[in-house]
Amino acid sequence: MADDEAFIGSLDQGTTSTRFIIYDKHAQPVGSHQVEFTQFCPKAGWVEHDPMEIIESVKVCISKAVDKATSVGYNVDKGLKAIGITNQRETTVIWSKSTGMALHKAIVWMDVRTTSICRKLEKELSGGKTHFLESCGLPISTYFSALKLIWLLENVDAVKQAVKKGDALFGTIDSWLIWNLTGGINNGLHVTDVSNASRTMLMNLKTLNWDETTLETLKIPKNILPRIVSNAEIIGHIAEGWLIPGVPISGCLGDQHAAMLGQSCKKGEAKSTYGTGAFILLNTGEDVVKSNHGLLTTLAFKLGKDAPTNYALEGSIAIAGAAVQWLRDSLGMISSAKEIEELATQVDSTGGVYFVPAFNGLFAPWWRDDARGVLIGITRFTNKSHIARAVLESMCFQVKDVLDSMHKDAGEKGEKKNEKGQFLLRVDGGATVNDTLMQIQADLLGIPVVRPADIETTALGAAYAAGLAVGVWTETEIFSNGERMKKDTVFNPVLVEELREKKVASWCKAVERTFDLADLSL
């Protein structure tokens, strides 16, 4: 390979692991490495990560990925043009700018310790749960960073003292990574991008700036917040002390926005990412579409300082792949995640069993933090294969709930259809290797489900943004995905409409059974 070959690195920091992938100029991976890190659950409903462990995982991943690419003949040291970053959203960190140490473990997006803060705000504010909807597109929920930040400001003495001294910095994981990568205590850059900022509840969707009224209402000091940048611009350069010093950081997106870019979703197109949770986004172009059916209005991407802003409707599902992990780690029903497909295909239905994984409440479109998981319809006939299949179906039913709401909000004109008049769902994420899951999804939706040849579209989206900013790719090349789609796998529905409707009605009954269960006695 020629010495002048261009490479783009993608740092993908997820809920359970960190990856670094190196792509060539044809967007093909040439080296990668992944490291899992610890997830702490100190109390029921609390989920935390160690920010310092995340930084160590980044160092290992970059080093190993570069070694792997170099070992097979790629001159990455000379050809690495830029890196892009994509990250778990809403997860909240506060650290000391003088010591570089986190002042508390990161509070993860699915953590529900802020329930009481949410209830208090809903009672005190004139708009109740929807008080900030006009500015940020989000309801008051445990999901978003602002509530986690309030909890840290109210409950952690080290945070209170650091804020008082002017030594505290707040950020989502992208901010924490960029600050460390660009120097840390030695003039590290304190920034975030528009997609991650849109998930804090603090950014105004139209101005793309921190909303002064919201900050004042929530008593959040502006001086601890990062500067907001677009998704594709040179943000800064990797500092000395890292393996790849001087390389520009030129792309940054929250993971679901990155997946949307990786799937080349244009206006009217939707994607669903199946990871720990599941996240469905519909690109609404430059239109800010308000939801009346339990969805979030969010930012899709802004590919440059002066580029137009694309918005999206989003439905977030807290528990998808995490339910499979629960079967493996907590129940011991399977020994590896891939075993669930084999187990589920031993039966042709769930035998009337329905599973709703409301472990920490339900997100879109229900927004019930008082919900808890249920497994219903159990008979003497029920075996573990029925339960395994019910777990797979639970992911697909939740996605259907969200897509049904999207259809109501966006309408026929808001959805792009193929030459057959069909709306397609693009899918990505680790769970999509499961063909049974994908077929169940197509059957329950009644529309084709399209799986790309490369299912790691989150990392690819971050690489696209970074490469776009430094001229490795153009927008036309990124969004002209006809050739790539020839390699896609399409799952077409085969379930008859009458049975689909009956199954959906049964699922809705099961969901209703989860409500108002948060205070069950221990």
Side-chain angles (χ1 to χ4, degrees):
M1 183 165 289
D3 286 346
D4 63 351
E5 180 67 279
F7 299 99
I8 298 292
S10 180
L11 176 56
D12 180 0
Q13 201 294 301
T15 308
T16 58
S17 65
T18 300
R19 294 181 303 170
F20 190 71
I21 302 177
I22 301 168
Y23 293 91
D24 66 15
K25 68 179 181 181
H26 306 293
Q28 296 300 307
V30 299
S32 68
H33 191 74
Q34 180 168 326
V35 172
E36 291 193 3
F37 51 83
T38 312
Q39 190 154 275
F40 302 91
C41 299
K43 295 183 182 180
W46 290 32
V47 189
E48 298 177 345
H49 292 154
D50 181 349
M52 309 310 293
E53 185 183 0
I54 287 175
I55 292 298
E56 288 306 309
S57 72
V58 169
K59 291 177 181 176
V60 171
C61 286
I62 292 176
S63 175
K64 296 287 189 183
V66 169
D67 285 350
K68 288 176 182 177
T70 303
S71 70
V72 291
Y74 295 100
N75 192 354
V76 174
D77 285 339
K78 186 175 180 181
L80 193 60
K81 301 299 183 186
I83 73 164
I85 293 172
T86 180
N87 58 285
Q88 53 172 313
R89 304 173 303 168
E90 297 95 16
T91 297
T92 301
V93 191
I94 293 190
W95 67 95
S96 162
K97 62 183 174 185
S98 62
T99 68
M101 301 299 290
L103 299 171
H104 189 274
K105 283 191 171 67
I107 301 179
V108 179
W109 57 271
M110 67 179 78
D111 185 289
V112 294
R113 74 185 66 187
T114 58
T115 299
S116 60
I117 295 174
C118 293
R119 294 295 84 78
K120 181 172 179 283
L121 288 172
E122 287 170 20
K123 288 179 182 176
E124 292 177 352
L125 299 176
S126 59
K129 194 180 188 76
T130 61
H131 186 83
F132 301 107
L133 212 59
E134 187 63 32
S135 64
C136 68
L138 309 175
I140 293 173
S141 167
T142 59
Y143 188 14
F144 307 113
S145 309
L147 286 307
K148 304 177 196 302
L149 174 54
I150 291 170
W151 187 92
L152 288 163
L153 291 169
E154 291 180 350
N155 293 278
V156 182
D157 287 338
V159 171
K160 293 177 188 175
Q161 292 303 315
V163 170
K164 197 173 182 180
K165 294 176 183 175
D167 187 41
L169 296 176
F170 153 81
T172 41
I173 295 294
D174 58 307
S175 297
W176 170 243
L177 294 177
I178 293 170
W179 188 80
N180 278 281
L181 286 165
T182 57
I185 59 174
N186 298 311
N187 301 310
L189 299 173
H190 188 212
V191 300
T192 190
D193 75 274
V194 286
S195 65
N196 276 294
S198 76
R199 311 299 295 187
T200 61
M201 277 182 55
L202 303 176
M203 188 190 82
N204 187 295
L205 272 183
K206 293 174 184 173
T207 67
L208 307 186
N209 294 318
W210 300 121
D211 191 87
E212 298 284 355
T213 303
T214 302
L215 295 178
E216 186 178 331
T217 301
L218 297 178
K219 298 180 174 58
I220 291 175
K222 189 176 181 180
N223 64 341
I224 70 173
L225 303 181
R227 178 171 61 91
I228 301 173
V229 298
S230 77
N231 298 121
E233 63 179 88
I234 295 178
I235 298 167
H237 295 78
I238 306 291
E240 295 295 329
W242 288 86
L243 181 66
I244 48 175
V247 173
I249 300 170
S250 58
C252 185
L253 309 93
D255 51 10
Q256 304 315 317
H257 314 263
M260 197 170 210
L261 183 59
Q263 289 269 33
S264 305
C265 284
K266 299 183 278 288
K267 181 177 180 179
E269 296 178 339
K271 69 89 201 172
S272 179
T273 299
Y274 301 74
T276 303
F279 304 87
I280 306 92
L281 276 79
L282 172 71
N283 189 331
T284 60
E286 296 180 50
D287 299 323
V288 179
V289 177
K290 295 178 183 176
S291 175
N292 297 312
H293 299 91
L295 302 179
L296 308 176
T297 302
T298 194
L299 188 137
F301 41 71
K302 181 179 174 67
L303 300 178
K305 289 181 183 180
D306 301 316
T309 303
N310 271 233
Y311 294 93
L313 282 170
E314 174 174 343
S316 305
I317 295 164
I319 303 295
V324 179
Q325 295 166 353
W326 174 72
L327 284 187
R328 180 192 66 194
D329 301 336
S330 298
L331 299 189
M333 193 177 289
I334 53 176
S335 57
S336 66
K338 65 182 180 181
E339 284 182 22
I340 192 169
E341 182 171 16
E342 181 184 345
L343 194 58
T345 53
Q346 291 176 13
V347 291
D348 58 8
S349 76
T350 65
V353 172
Y354 287 80
F355 172 64
V356 187
F359 295 159
N360 287 7
L362 289 170
F363 284 2
W366 308 97
W367 298 107
R368 295 289 297 246
D369 54 27
D370 64 337
R372 290 297 179 266
V374 301
L375 181 65
I376 65 171
I378 301 169
T379 66
R380 183 67 183 81
F381 172 69
T382 303
N383 62 39
K384 61 183 182 180
S385 291
H386 295 116
I387 294 172
R389 194 172 186 93
V391 167
L392 295 184
E393 284 196 357
S394 75
M395 297 188 216
C396 302
F397 276 122
Q398 291 181 95
V399 171
K400 178 174 171 54
D401 288 342
V402 168
L403 276 174
D404 285 349
S405 293
M406 280 183 177
H407 182 75
K408 292 171 187 173
D409 282 328
E412 290 281 340
K413 292 180 181 178
E415 298 174 343
K416 186 177 178 182
K417 297 183 179 179
N418 65 10
E419 62 280 359
K420 296 179 182 178
Q422 297 169 310
F423 178 70
L424 308 177
L425 178 66
R426 292 160 172 79
V427 297
D428 58 75
T432 61
V433 298
N434 187 323
D435 287 353
T436 303
L437 176 69
M438 294 295 94
Q439 187 58 53
I440 291 171
Q441 186 68 86
D443 283 341
L444 292 180
L445 290 175
I447 62 173
V449 168
V450 183
R451 181 178 65 195
D454 179 4
I455 62 170
E456 302 300 347
T457 58
T458 300
L460 181 60
Y464 276 159
L468 180 65
V470 297
V472 172
W473 296 301
T474 65
E475 266 194 65
T476 300
E477 289 171 326
I478 291 170
F479 287 100
S480 297
N481 56 358
E483 282 303 309
R484 275 192 291 148
M485 288 186 72
K486 291 178 183 177
K487 301 175 185 176
D488 294 347
T489 303
V490 179
F491 296 85
N492 289 299
V494 295
L495 191 67
V496 297
E497 181 64 27
E498 184 182 6
L499 182 53
R500 181 185 303 121
E501 289 177 359
K502 287 180 178 178
K503 288 175 73 69
V504 169
S506 296
W507 163 258
C508 291
K509 280 185 183 179
V511 170
E512 289 171 3
R513 302 297 193 274
T514 71
F515 298 163
D516 196 26
L517 296 181
D519 58 354
L520 292 176
S521 297
L522 296 175

